[in-house]
Structure formats: C-alpha cells, structure tokens
Amino acid sequence: MTVTARRELVSPGTRNAFRSLATDLTVRIVAGLWGDHGFAPVAPEDLKYSDPGQRRTEFMRYAEGVDWADERHVRRALLVFEDYIREYRDPADEGTPKWLEDIKVRLDRDGYHLNDKGQISWTHPPVLIRDLSGLNDPSGIVVELERIRRDLTTDPQGAIGAAKQLIEATAKTALRELGVSVVKKPDVPVCRGVVVRHHMHVPDPAARCCLPSALPEFPA
C-alpha cells in the first residue's frame, strides 16, 4: 500500500497541545491514562522525541505508538484525550479556560467537536480505508475517498463528482491488480466486465476496447 496516501486523523499540533497538559500531571497518571485504553509505550530506544521533561517524554512514548491514520487507534486515543481534559481541568474553573479553548480550536480544525462535558466527537466521520491494505497501489481510490469526506457537507456537487471519479479509480485499480494496462479514460462498464470475467475465468475479447494493448489470455 502507498503509505503517503494515508492521512493522519489528528494533527501534530493537536497532539502537542495535549502533550503540554502532561507537564502538570504525574508520570504515573500520564502513563495510566494511556494504559486505561489499551495503549502500550514504545521502547525508550525507539522513541524519536527528545525532551528533558519526564512527563512529556512519557506522553510521547505512548503517542508514538499510535497509528494516527488508523480510525480504530484514533477513536481510542480520543478517549485518552478526554481523560486528560478531565484530569487536568480544575472543577472550580468557571467558563472555558484559555488552554481548553486552544485545544477546542485545534480539534475543530482537525474535524472534531469538543462539547461542554469534555467529550470529543467526529464532525465528519473518516472514510475507512484499512481494507485496501492488500492492494499494490490504492492511492487513486484513497484520493477520491478523501475528496468525498472533505466535500460531503460543504460541497455536495463536489462529493458527487468525487464519487463518479471513485468508480473509475476503482476500475483502474482492479485492472492494474490483474496486470492489465488501462487507458486514461477507460470505458468503466466494459472494464468492470473484464474484472468479473477474469475472476470467473471467462475470456471476453470484446472487452479489449477499453485497453491500449491486448489483454492477456484468461484461462477458460
């Protein structure tokens, strides 16, 4: 799978804002909040982060073990962040303190909503792409899925256009997985037939019209 096609669902800036909260917590609490949701720290020798602060370093030992492009990891990490807010916030505070307002703005930019109870929810749920990991190059599909996610509520016409492009990208990807070269603008219904017939082991010479060169002979 093309790694560059995967988008991190929580930005480094947002993660850094939560890391700063660790400064005023104990190392035990910092580790416990992550551990409560099933996260394990990376080994000290594998840690890429360098900081004299023990608590921030402990935070990063866990944060670097999160796959921030994986929706399942991120859902658990958001629960960790909720616990950080509850642990850090002074119950006597009235209104929204500045540090929390900063976190709220950063989460909003990433596509999340932080309510008055400190609960984080998705503004636009992410498009799940983990099932594409077995493909050699799913980047065309991932790009269109991301366009749909981005435009779904703000630009419906753009989302519809991306959905059409997704069909074509899927057809192209399927044919490339079969080792077949595809023209820039293939006949999508014909290409779909090629893929289906290939899996049914039925040759279809008429489907060659969507390809720039001859199809490999499929076994009967």
Side-chain angles (χ1 to χ4, degrees):
M1 180 175 179
T2 304
V3 176
T4 54
R6 304 181 74 226
R7 182 182 70 92
E8 289 192 333
L9 302 176
V10 179
S11 67
T14 298
R15 285 153 21 205
N16 292 346
F18 279 96
R19 183 185 66 204
S20 67
L21 303 185
T23 303
D24 294 325
L25 303 175
T26 66
V27 172
R28 180 183 62 80
I29 290 176
V30 170
L33 295 177
W34 285 102
D36 287 346
H37 296 283
F39 288 104
V42 300
E45 60 271 18
D46 294 331
L47 184 65
K48 300 181 180 67
Y49 179 75
S50 178
D51 189 323
Q54 188 178 6
R55 298 172 181 86
R56 292 189 297 270
T57 298
E58 186 70 7
F59 178 96
M60 290 304 296
R61 286 189 64 200
Y62 286 88
E64 287 192 8
V66 178
D67 182 350
W68 295 103
D70 186 290
E71 178 261 348
R72 294 167 297 180
H73 271 222
V74 170
R75 284 190 184 277
R76 287 192 290 131
L78 293 177
L79 294 177
V80 175
F81 288 171
E82 290 179 5
D83 289 349
Y84 265 91
I85 291 173
R86 280 190 285 270
E87 190 68 38
Y88 188 86
R89 190 171 189 175
D90 185 347
D93 280 345
E94 295 183 0
T96 303
K98 185 179 182 305
W99 65 268
L100 187 57
E101 186 61 38
D102 176 63
I103 283 177
K104 189 172 184 178
V105 169
R106 291 179 183 275
L107 285 169
D108 183 68
R109 290 172 181 167
D110 287 350
Y112 304 101
H113 173 69
L114 175 65
N115 66 21
D116 294 337
K117 296 181 180 179
Q119 298 168 320
I120 303 170
S121 59
W122 304 87
T123 305
H124 307 301
V127 175
L128 305 184
I129 62 172
R130 58 179 177 268
D131 292 334
L132 303 180
S133 59
L135 300 177
N136 291 318
D137 182 11
S139 57
I141 296 175
V142 173
V143 167
E144 300 306 332
L145 286 173
E146 175 58 22
R147 282 184 59 202
I148 293 171
R149 185 204 67 81
R150 183 193 63 202
D151 296 339
L152 194 57
T153 57
T154 59
D155 183 9
Q157 289 300 318
I160 292 172
K164 294 177 180 178
Q165 293 297 318
L166 175 61
I167 296 172
E168 181 178 312
T170 302
K172 286 182 177 181
T173 301
L175 287 171
R176 291 194 186 103
E177 290 292 312
L178 299 177
V180 178
S181 298
V182 187
V183 293
K184 187 174 182 180
K185 289 290 183 181
D187 184 323
V188 175
V190 174
C191 290
R192 175 183 175 278
V194 174
V195 175
V196 171
R197 288 176 178 275
H198 174 81
H199 285 288
M200 294 175 64
H201 304 296
V202 178
D204 183 9
R208 298 171 190 267
C209 61
C210 75
L211 308 172
S213 58
L215 273 169
E217 290 297 331
F218 299 143

